């Protein structure tokens, strides 16, 4: 509707074309859905291309965030392990000192 193509809404609805299906449409599939105007198909294809690019950008950003979280989690895990080793070493030294006395 925002593209002023509301005349196709009923056919898209009747064919259960949702967002996921919409991204899979190409020129021939659009034509089969009754979109006979090449200008209208071009508008839809351009918008779909923009949407796909936007989705890809968002996916890459999500992957980047996940990698950063994983890196941070590993760093925190390493710090915990170092602290644990230090604590074990201090306890061991304290125990040895007590045993010597």
């Amino acid at each position: 509707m925002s593209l002023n193509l509301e005349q196709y809404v009923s056919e898209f609805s009747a064919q259960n074309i949702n967002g996921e299906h919409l991204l899979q449409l190409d020129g021939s599939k659009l034509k089969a859905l009754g979109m006979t105007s090449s200008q209208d198909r071009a508008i839809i294809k351009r918008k779909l291309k923009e949407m796909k690019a936007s989705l890809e950008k968002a996916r890459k950003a999500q992957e980047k965030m996940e990698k950063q979280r994983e890196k941070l989690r590993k760093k925190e895990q390493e710090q915990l392990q170092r602290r644990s080793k230090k604590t074990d070493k201090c306890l061991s030294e304290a125990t040895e000192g007590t045993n010597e006395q």
Side-chain angles (χ1 to χ4, degrees):
M1 293 178 126
S2 66
L3 300 173
N4 295 320
L5 299 172
E6 50 276 327
Q7 67 269 28
Y8 303 110
V9 171
S10 61
E11 184 60 29
F12 277 53
S13 295
Q15 296 295 324
N16 294 319
I17 303 296
N18 60 22
E20 190 174 324
H21 292 124
L22 188 62
L23 291 172
Q24 304 303 318
L25 298 178
D26 60 12
S28 62
K29 290 177 184 173
L30 289 169
K31 201 171 189 177
L33 285 168
M35 194 173 278
T36 56
S37 167
S38 60
Q39 283 184 318
D40 291 352
R41 286 193 308 273
I43 290 169
I44 291 283
K45 288 192 291 186
R46 183 174 55 248
K47 191 64 171 177
L48 289 173
K49 186 176 179 179
E50 290 172 12
M51 290 169 64
K52 288 176 185 178
S54 180
L55 284 171
E56 182 64 18
K57 186 176 179 180
R59 185 189 62 79
K60 285 182 180 182
Q62 180 69 28
E63 285 178 359
K64 184 177 179 180
M65 284 180 57
E66 288 173 8
K67 285 180 183 179
Q68 288 174 339
R69 280 191 206 119
E70 182 63 23
K71 187 177 178 180
L72 183 59
R73 190 192 64 74
K74 284 181 181 180
K75 187 175 180 179
E76 289 172 348
Q77 188 70 26
E78 289 170 359
Q79 288 174 346
L80 285 172
Q81 287 174 345
R82 278 189 239 124
R83 286 184 194 142
S84 178
K85 286 179 183 179
K86 278 185 180 181
T87 303
D88 290 348
K89 185 178 177 182
C90 289
L91 287 173
S92 178
E93 290 172 355
T95 304
E96 287 177 14
T98 305
N99 288 343
E100 290 176 7
Q101 291 176 358

